[in-house]
Every structure is written in structure tokens, then in C-alpha cells.
């Protein structure tokens, strides 16, 4: 089976993540896409619990049908998240699968600075999805056939802290989960 791996903090997953996953499933030569939430961010970013982020990814994937799954491999590994380490483990555990890695066009240039980035590029194909925002120019985003909207988990968390609405920025099921769990200091806007 051909599997696209879509890694990230997903703190929280938002509609651009969901749109990127659907885009990859519909346009890339893959059979499935696995969301891979990081367990422990390599730069000690403050994250919601792995369990909450995993569940929000599961809710995000559910709307895409059986072709979208969520992997807990980084929790199984249990250490600081490193893409190459994760890929190696998945290749070891699922020798019958062919993997590729989904990456936003804003991160492509950074791959070489990642731990084992050059080996990662040699190990599996990168599926580049255009992403506006995050310091990326219109021209850079246009190197990919389409660009996802400029939605940012950082901005969503700030809006939640400020008591502002985030409808339309996260899937409805994720929104309900965030409010129900009180994540990111969320309180429903009045």
C-alpha cells in the first residue's frame, strides 16, 4: 500500500490541514494518508496532550473517510519527535508499504537543516502542498499547483485565549472537542 505521512504538531488541527490531506488523497499516487501527530516537539513547544491532539486528528481524519487514518507511532517511540526516526520505524514496522511525506511548501527549504534531512530526502518522496502565510510569498506558494489557505494553529490558539470565535478555522467536530475539553484556555464566545 502507498501511504502518505502527514506529520505535525496539530495543536490544533485546522481546516487547511484537512484540505491538504484531501488534496493529497485526491491528487497524489497514494492509497491512504496517515496523520502523524508529534509526541514531544523537538524545540520544546508547549503542546496540548498527545491524547487530545491524537483525538482531534482522528476527528479531522474521520471526515475524509477510511483512506485517512491517524498513527500513534510517535507516542510508541516515546521520545522527542524526529521525522527520519519516525519514518525509519514505520518502514521497519510496515515493510509492505511505500511511504511518502506530506510537507508544506513553506518548509521544503528547511528539510536540509533537519536532523537527517538529507537522508530523509533520499529515503522517501516529498509531497509538497502549497501554503500561504508563515512568511511565504505568493510566488513561493505558487510553485505548488494549489495553495492552502493561510490558517495557523498559533493564530487559532491566540483567538481562543482572547475569547474570539474560531468557527470556519477548524472542523466543527474539532471545535466542539476544544470547547468540551477547555483546550487552549477556550471559552465559547458570547
Amino acid at each position: 500500500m502507498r501511504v502518505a505521512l502527514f506529520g505535525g504538531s496539530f495543536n490544533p488541527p485546522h481546516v487547511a490541514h484537512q484540505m491538504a490531506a484531501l488534496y493529497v488523497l485526491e491528487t497524489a499516487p497514494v492509497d491512504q494518508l496517515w496523520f502523524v501527530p508529534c509526541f514531544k516537539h523537538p524545540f520544546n513547544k508547549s503542546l496540548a496532550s498527545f491524547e487530545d491532539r491524537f483525538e482531534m486528528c482522528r476527528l479531522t481524519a474521520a471526515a475524509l473517510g477510511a483512506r485517512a487514518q491517524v498513527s500513534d507511532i510517535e507516542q510508541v517511540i516515546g521520545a522527542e519527535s524526529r521525522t527520519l526516526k519516525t519514518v525509519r520505524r514505520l518502514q521497519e514496522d510496515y515493510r509492505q508499504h511505500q511511504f511518502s511525506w506530506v510537507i508544506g511548501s513553506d518548509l521544503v527549504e528547511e528539510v536540509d537543516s533537519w536532523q537527517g534531512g538529507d537522508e530523509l530526502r533520499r529515503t522517501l518522496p516529498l509531497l509538497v502542498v502549497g501554503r500561504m502565510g508563515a512568511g511565504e510569498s505568493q510566488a513561493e506558494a505558487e510553485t505548488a499547483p494549489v495553495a492552502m489557505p493561510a490558517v495557523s494553529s498559533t493564530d487559532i490558539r491566540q483567538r481562543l485565549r482572547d475569547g474570539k470565535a474560531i468557527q470556519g478555522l477548524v472542523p466543527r467536530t474539532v471545535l466542539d472537542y476544544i470547547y468540551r475539553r477547555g483546550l487552549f484556555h477556550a471559552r465559547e464566545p458570547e
Side-chain angles (χ1 to χ4, degrees):
M1 182 175 345
R2 299 165 303 174
V3 178
L5 303 172
F6 189 5
S9 298
F10 301 112
N11 193 43
H14 50 66
V15 294
H17 291 132
Q18 196 174 49
M19 293 167 76
L22 179 61
Y23 175 74
V24 167
L25 284 167
E26 291 298 316
T27 63
V30 300
D31 303 305
Q32 287 190 346
L33 178 138
W34 296 355
F35 287 89
V36 184
C38 75
F39 181 67
K40 181 180 179 198
H41 197 278
F43 305 120
N44 270 341
K45 259 170 104 172
S46 177
L47 301 172
S49 73
F50 179 82
E51 293 76 12
D52 282 327
R53 291 180 297 108
F54 184 91
E55 180 60 17
M56 288 186 288
C57 283
R58 192 192 65 71
L59 293 167
T60 300
L64 302 172
R67 294 184 301 158
Q69 306 290 321
V70 184
S71 171
D72 67 349
I73 189 63
E74 293 212 348
Q75 182 183 42
V76 170
I77 293 171
E80 188 176 85
S81 295
R82 296 292 180 181
T83 303
L84 182 59
K85 184 192 233 179
T86 300
V87 167
R88 283 179 180 157
R89 178 66 182 266
L90 286 168
Q91 288 174 326
E92 201 175 285
D93 291 353
Y94 299 95
R95 294 182 189 276
Q96 73 277 23
H97 293 347
Q98 296 172 313
F99 292 105
S100 54
W101 192 264
V102 178
I103 187 167
S105 57
D106 58 316
L107 296 176
V108 171
E109 295 302 316
E110 290 182 22
V111 171
D112 292 330
S113 68
W114 294 358
Q115 187 177 53
D118 55 338
E119 184 179 341
L120 182 66
R121 282 187 188 271
R122 289 190 312 271
T123 302
L124 73 171
L126 300 180
L127 301 175
V128 180
V129 176
R131 180 170 182 230
M132 288 299 301
E136 182 175 30
S137 71
Q138 178 74 31
E140 290 168 320
E142 288 174 356
T143 61
V146 298
M148 296 301 119
V151 180
S152 152
S153 295
T154 302
D155 293 339
I156 291 168
R157 291 191 307 274
Q158 186 61 53
R159 290 182 66 82
L160 287 166
R161 283 191 294 272
D162 293 343
K164 295 180 179 173
I166 60 167
Q167 284 82 359
L169 300 176
V170 297
R172 285 182 316 211
T173 55
V174 171
L175 178 70
D176 293 343
Y177 186 86
I178 288 170
Y179 286 146
R180 191 170 58 253
R181 299 277 298 158
L183 297 177
F184 315 112
H185 308 288
R187 55 188 188 279
E188 291 200 48
E190 298 174 17

